[in-house]
Amino acid sequence: PRTFADHFEVHGRENAAASDLNKKTGKPILAGHEIYVKDCLRTNSAIMFRLSNDTVQMNFKDSSELILQGGGNLLTYTEPKGNRRVFKLSETAGHNEITRRYKYTKDLLRAWPGNEKKTTVRPN
């Protein structure tokens, strides 16, 4: 199993590669537009990160990941073996594992401290 430190070490290498890409493309990240972790929540089965750009990332203990972005309209799912796919939320029907993890993520977001008054919960 990966530790919390391992997770950030991997992402540090990925961010370094992205930084190299920014140097090659000439598109610097402007001050004040950096993306950072606003909140995180650990559960028995996953750790959730809420980023400053409204992206939500769930890293599950089995090494799978679910990333919600684009106002919740896009979902990126990484299988435990590392295969990654991007879906429109409307395209996830029939993908039971993704649907189950999405529902778990959505339920955690609704229960997040401070979200009780902000989030409208629609019956499923």
Side-chain angles (χ1 to χ4, degrees):
R2 291 182 354 188
T3 65
F4 194 66
D6 292 338
H7 172 77
F8 282 104
E9 181 181 333
V10 168
H11 286 285
R13 285 193 300 262
E14 290 172 356
N15 288 340
S19 177
D20 289 343
L21 179 63
N22 284 338
K23 290 176 188 171
K24 291 177 187 174
T25 62
K27 296 180 182 177
I29 297 173
L30 301 174
H33 291 87
E34 301 88 358
I35 299 170
Y36 57 90
V37 176
K38 286 175 59 173
D39 290 309
C40 68
L41 174 70
R42 183 181 299 270
T43 68
N44 288 334
S45 59
I47 184 165
M48 177 190 286
F49 299 98
R50 290 177 65 170
L51 306 180
S52 60
N53 65 350
D54 293 329
T55 296
V56 174
Q57 178 173 336
M58 288 288 288
N59 294 348
F60 293 91
K61 284 190 174 181
D62 67 355
S63 297
S64 63
E65 295 178 344
L66 186 140
I67 302 170
L68 297 173
Q69 56 196 74
N73 295 321
L74 288 178
L75 183 148
T76 302
Y77 181 70
T78 306
E79 297 172 349
K81 292 183 179 182
N83 300 323
R84 179 173 282 189
R85 292 184 58 192
V86 178
F87 298 89
K88 290 180 182 175
L89 203 52
S90 59
E91 299 171 338
T92 60
H95 297 274
N96 295 337
E97 189 63 21
I98 296 171
T99 301
R100 186 177 67 82
R101 290 173 191 257
Y102 170 72
K103 182 180 180 331
Y104 178 68
T105 302
K106 187 171 69 170
D107 291 345
L108 284 177
L109 283 169
R110 287 182 178 144
W112 196 291
N115 272 0
E116 299 88 3
K117 295 176 186 170
K118 294 184 211 173
T119 305
T120 303
V121 178
R122 292 183 293 166
N124 291 335

